[in-house]
Amino acid sequence: MDESHGLTVALIKLGGSVLTNKSRLRSFSETEARRLALEMKEFISRSRYHRLVLVHGGGSFGHIRAKKYNLSAGLREESQLHGFAQVRNDMRDLNSKIVSILIESGIPAISFPPETFLRVHGGRVIKSEAGLLEKCVGAGLVPVSFGDAVIDTRQSFSILSGDAVMLSMSSMVHPSISVFCTDVDGVFDSNPRLSANSRLIPRLRESDRVSTDATGTDDVTGGMGGKLKFLFEIAHNSGRTVVLNGLVPLRLRETLAGRDATSTEVVPTRRRPGKKASRRSGYI
Ligand code: IPE
């Protein structure tokens, strides 16, 4: 599903750090959500062939309790069950808040939990079903999926990141553009939270070598190394792939309009057969 089918699909991840205050349990950033909804509404209003597919992260509705109960590791002891139930419920609560705001902003958004179209085994997506997603996007509805506490056929449950959901969706809808809205300007050559000298990388190529320092993070879904891997895989399925600061007004709107905005463009390179990809990292 792409321009050759007459549709221009924008696949957008609204990061948990944009929609929530990541350090305060279940604190929702309603103002940011409303502003981003209007920026996205402009995109679908511009053409009847424009389509949106959305994914949001967990932020403080997901990561805090997922870490406390060690949910990524799967079921190990009974005490985790309560935590799993809470995170699953909190993510539906966050999703419902976001979908409500999108609908109020004039976007025909529908909740699209990952288990509607994905099966997870050992923390990884092993099966996907594109039919429902294609129908709903084709009709003009806007599916809103999310990183979630999911049933796992190997380890009873696990945490599936919004980035993993983005990857699966990108392989199904082949977006014209995939956008990651984060709380920093893009991918940096070193951690911008730790170093004043870190520089934004405007175009990040798969062959680029950037700093590989480790960062301390509370994220339960893989940290920076994992994120970059997803970014490049998603870039292989997308026309353009952009990482931008969703907290700065108009960056998303300008990017969706094809105009320049401060960001990182992720540029995949075709790998030569038999050649191993070099190690790379960076910071969002
Ligand atoms: C996390 O998804 C989902 C849960 C912890 C339940 P993400 O890892 O994509 O969330 P953010 O965007 O980093 O907050």
Side-chain angles (χ1 to χ4, degrees):
M1 184 183 291
D2 56 19
E3 277 144 315
S4 61
H5 295 75
L7 295 177
T8 299
V9 179
L11 172 65
I12 301 175
K13 182 184 176 197
L14 305 169
S17 53
V18 176
L19 296 174
T20 76
N21 177 339
K22 264 189 134 170
S23 54
R24 269 190 29 226
L25 185 66
R26 291 176 41 88
S27 74
F28 179 54
S29 306
E30 188 180 331
T31 315
E32 306 298 347
R34 287 197 185 279
R35 177 180 52 75
L36 289 165
L38 293 177
E39 293 188 28
M40 293 186 289
K41 164 73 178 160
E42 211 176 291
F43 173 75
I44 46 169
S45 300
R46 205 171 309 124
S47 161
R48 56 194 285 250
Y49 300 110
H50 281 186
R51 294 290 189 274
L52 275 176
V53 177
L54 304 182
V55 176
H56 63 79
S60 60
F61 285 67
H63 287 284
I64 296 175
R65 282 182 168 143
K67 188 177 185 196
K68 178 175 170 192
Y69 292 96
N70 192 22
L71 300 182
S72 301
L75 179 60
R76 291 176 172 193
E77 48 189 70
E78 218 183 304
S79 61
Q80 291 173 295
L81 294 176
H82 191 66
F84 178 76
Q86 276 183 316
V87 172
R88 201 169 156 102
N89 193 40
D90 287 347
M91 286 309 301
R92 271 141 196 78
D93 189 16
L94 175 62
N95 181 249
S96 165
K97 288 182 198 302
I98 293 165
V99 168
S100 296
I101 285 175
L102 292 166
I103 293 172
E104 284 167 28
S105 309
I107 296 173
I110 60 166
S111 176
F112 211 76
E115 279 167 9
T116 318
F117 61 105
L118 301 176
R119 287 287 165 273
V120 178
H121 184 79
R124 303 169 73 91
V125 173
I126 51 152
K127 213 171 139 200
S128 59
E129 158 64 56
L132 278 183
L133 181 67
E134 284 173 359
K135 270 275 169 246
C136 129
V137 175
L141 290 166
V142 175
V144 187
S145 199
F146 48 93
D148 199 8
V150 292
I151 303 300
D152 186 304
T153 49
R154 178 169 166 212
Q155 57 189 46
S156 298
F157 57 66
S158 59
I159 296 293
L160 186 67
S161 72
D163 294 351
V165 177
M166 284 285 283
L167 176 57
S168 293
M169 286 182 134
S170 70
S171 72
M172 294 171 186
V173 300
H174 295 286
S176 303
I177 183 166
S178 293
V179 184
F180 286 78
C181 297
T182 70
D183 62 348
V184 289
D185 287 349
V187 180
F188 288 77
D189 61 356
S190 59
N191 190 338
R193 294 186 182 85
L194 301 179
S195 156
N197 298 325
S198 66
R199 280 179 317 189
L200 181 70
I201 305 170
R203 280 173 71 79
L204 179 68
R205 289 177 187 79
E206 217 163 350
S207 53
D208 282 348
R209 282 175 175 272
V210 292
S211 165
T212 55
D213 313 349
T215 39
T217 169
D218 277 347
D219 283 12
V220 295
T221 49
M224 182 46 55
K227 211 168 192 85
L228 283 175
K229 197 168 165 285
F230 277 117
L231 279 178
F232 282 111
E233 286 187 36
I234 290 162
H236 279 283
N237 296 331
S238 312
R240 295 180 64 208
T241 301
V242 177
V243 182
L244 54 77
N245 194 334
L247 293 172
V248 179
L250 304 183
R251 293 230 175 126
L252 178 59
R253 188 190 82 174
E254 294 300 288
T255 299
L256 292 177
R259 292 189 286 264
D260 276 353
T262 303
S263 62
T264 293
E265 173 124 18
V266 180
V267 186
T269 45
R270 214 177 274 276
R271 269 178 217 147
R272 277 181 238 130
K275 191 166 188 258
K276 254 187 137 184
S278 58
R279 274 194 73 205
R280 64 198 66 80
S281 187
Y283 296 85
I284 292 176

